[in-house]
Amino acid sequence: MTRFIEFVISVVIVIVLFLVISLFLPSKRNFVYSIETNRPMATVTDLLSGFTRFKDWNPLVHYDPQMTYEVSGPAIGPGAKFSYHSNQRLIGNGSWTVTKVIPGQMIVYTIDNNSRGDDKEMIFTFERTGQRNQNVKITQEYKINYGWDLLGRYAGLYVSRNVGDDLKRGLDRFSNFLATIPKFDYGSHQGEFSFVDMPAQDLLTVTTGAKRDNDEIANQMTVQLSWIKKVMASNGLVAAGPMRIITNEFTGTSYGFDVAMPVKKGTGAPAAAAEAPASDTSAETAAAADMPPVAAGAPLEVKLEGPVKYTQVPARRVAMTSYSGPAPGLPQQRDILRAWVMTHGADTQDRPYEEYLDGIANMLNEDARFKVYWPVKK
């Protein structure tokens, strides 16, 4: 009996010590980790303001290959939500929801999961650093409130390990993913960006190239477009959109490209003016620029001449933006478009191309107009 009483007293002492110690433990915990990147602020904040690339950097998705998840709400901004379900007990069900976005300053997520604690938040703050403030310091902070959950307060002793390791791993992976995105600030780009479902189109193309010299490039474009216009005239075809230039290779000394023209069957006999292969007809190109994309039907029967080839491009999804300025600025616009694409949940494929809305003759003007496209994976 004495030993039993001693055992009960020992248990009571342990419980009292447990309660007393837990009362002095913090009811709130946080963990902070930072990295620095040389990618633009717009790229950083857009990636973290939604879930289009969440699986590319957050370790949560990689713990259970069988996990199911759903992204709901807006693509970017408050209300964007990532919900997940796992049959693994340690992961269970939960969600991340974007609740607050202050561009260039802060993004706040609320987290709901099976672990102890309430008011769970993941907060990203941003600070410009480096020379000319071109870099961004990203600080990620996890906050949790255990309140009067005394077991939770003890669990909070291990936040730096249970949550902190994941936080470090995720932010490091985020930094690595940022390094794959072109270092171009699309946030200052004047044109709008969008994804467009382009219908199948009939194209006449000529593959060519030139040195990185504006006059030589323009000359090659003009010569090859003349061949295309000759084939159009002899086959009763008309333009189904503006002339486009498809980039094959772009180096420090040379530029390889295709001159291409979307075409369709004309309603009448070939116009005599179309037979003249002499020069770029900017008026025709500008008129075609206002046309909506013309969907192709059955493949055309085309009698080809010289270097001209015919192809029917299948329907595909493309990213698009506009650009106004001289044509030598187009390579940078392609990189800007690719950076936007990767940040908004897609990957580029195939070759980029531009529509010359004001024709070849005006391509070096400060107000020359172009549409820039890059096919993306669905």
Side-chain angles (χ1 to χ4, degrees):
M1 186 65 180
T2 302
R3 288 188 175 180
F4 176 74
I5 294 173
E6 290 175 347
F7 172 75
V8 172
I9 293 173
S10 298
V11 171
V12 171
I13 291 173
V14 169
I15 293 174
V16 171
L17 285 174
F18 173 84
L19 293 173
V20 171
I21 293 173
S22 64
L23 290 174
F24 285 93
L25 290 175
S27 62
K28 297 180 180 180
R29 294 279 185 172
N30 74 319
F31 184 84
V32 180
Y33 183 62
S34 298
I35 61 167
E36 188 170 320
T37 179
N38 60 2
R39 270 17 185 200
M41 182 69 78
T43 300
V44 173
T45 55
D46 280 359
L47 278 171
L48 291 173
S49 295
F51 298 97
T52 56
R53 287 292 187 176
F54 193 68
K55 62 183 179 61
D56 291 308
W57 64 270
N58 194 286
L60 174 66
V61 182
H62 299 272
Y63 284 135
D64 179 11
Q66 305 303 317
M67 175 190 292
T68 59
Y69 59 86
E70 178 187 8
V71 177
S72 58
I76 288 179
K81 185 175 184 178
F82 179 91
S83 305
Y84 62 91
H85 170 74
S86 172
N87 291 324
Q88 295 187 19
R89 185 176 61 84
L90 292 177
I91 302 173
N93 306 326
S95 65
W96 287 47
T97 305
V98 178
T99 56
K100 184 177 183 180
V101 176
I102 303 177
Q105 298 182 39
M106 175 187 294
I107 297 171
V108 180
Y109 297 82
T110 57
I111 299 176
D112 179 20
N113 57 29
N114 296 337
S115 64
R116 289 184 175 274
D118 299 307
D119 305 328
K120 299 166 189 170
E121 288 186 329
M122 196 71 77
I123 302 170
F124 290 87
T125 54
F126 312 106
E127 178 186 354
R128 294 188 180 276
T129 61
Q131 293 184 350
R132 300 187 300 277
N133 288 328
Q134 291 183 330
N135 294 351
V136 179
K137 180 181 179 183
I138 307 169
T139 299
Q140 185 176 1
E141 180 179 13
Y142 175 71
K143 291 183 176 182
I144 186 169
N145 182 9
Y146 296 106
W148 290 103
D149 180 356
L150 302 184
L151 286 175
R153 293 190 182 192
Y154 277 99
L157 293 170
Y158 304 96
V159 162
S160 61
R161 188 64 183 270
N162 296 338
V163 178
D165 287 352
D166 277 353
L167 191 147
K168 290 180 180 179
R169 190 179 298 113
L171 203 53
D172 288 340
R173 291 182 62 173
F174 183 73
S175 177
N176 292 335
F177 180 72
L178 280 172
T180 68
I181 300 176
K183 187 184 172 183
F184 290 89
D185 186 7
Y186 61 78
S188 59
H189 180 66
Q190 297 299 315
E192 294 185 358
F193 297 92
S194 62
F195 290 109
V196 178
D197 290 314
M198 196 69 70
Q201 292 180 304
D202 296 302
L203 291 184
L204 294 180
T205 65
V206 177
T207 300
T208 186
K211 294 181 180 179
R212 286 278 302 278
D213 176 85
N214 293 334
D215 291 337
E216 289 195 25
I217 292 172
N219 181 64
Q220 278 299 314
M221 290 179 180
T222 302
V223 170
Q224 308 311 335
L225 181 59
S226 295
W227 275 107
I228 290 174
K229 287 183 175 294
K230 185 177 180 182
V231 171
M232 289 171 62
S234 63
N235 286 272
L237 301 175
V238 296
M243 183 203 76
R244 64 181 62 168
I245 299 297
I246 306 170
T247 296
N248 297 322
E249 184 181 33
F250 188 81
T251 71
T253 58
S254 64
Y255 181 33
F257 56 93
D258 287 0
V259 179
M261 179 69 78
V263 295
K264 62 180 180 179
K265 277 291 185 182
T267 55
E275 299 176 1
S279 64
D280 166 38
T281 51
S282 301
E284 293 177 9
T285 305
D290 295 327
M291 299 178 180
V294 178
L300 300 175
E301 293 185 6
V302 182
K303 182 179 179 181
L304 301 174
E305 298 181 49
V308 181
K309 297 179 181 179
Y310 164 75
T311 184
Q312 189 174 81
V313 180
R316 54 187 176 172
R317 190 167 179 78
V318 301
M320 180 188 75
T321 190
S322 58
Y323 164 65
S324 180
L330 286 170
Q332 180 176 351
Q333 302 305 311
R334 291 193 286 268
D335 285 326
I336 287 174
L337 179 60
R338 183 166 176 263
W340 180 87
V341 167
M342 294 183 67
T343 304
H344 288 74
D347 290 297
T348 56
Q349 64 176 350
D350 203 359
R351 300 168 296 168
Y353 63 93
E354 294 86 41
E355 291 179 342
Y356 281 51
L357 304 185
D358 294 322
I360 300 170
N362 300 310
M363 61 184 259
L364 298 179
N365 293 351
E366 291 296 325
D367 58 352
R369 297 174 303 138
F370 305 88
K371 287 185 179 179
V372 185
Y373 298 85
W374 205 319
V376 298
K377 299 177 184 178
K378 287 192 175 181

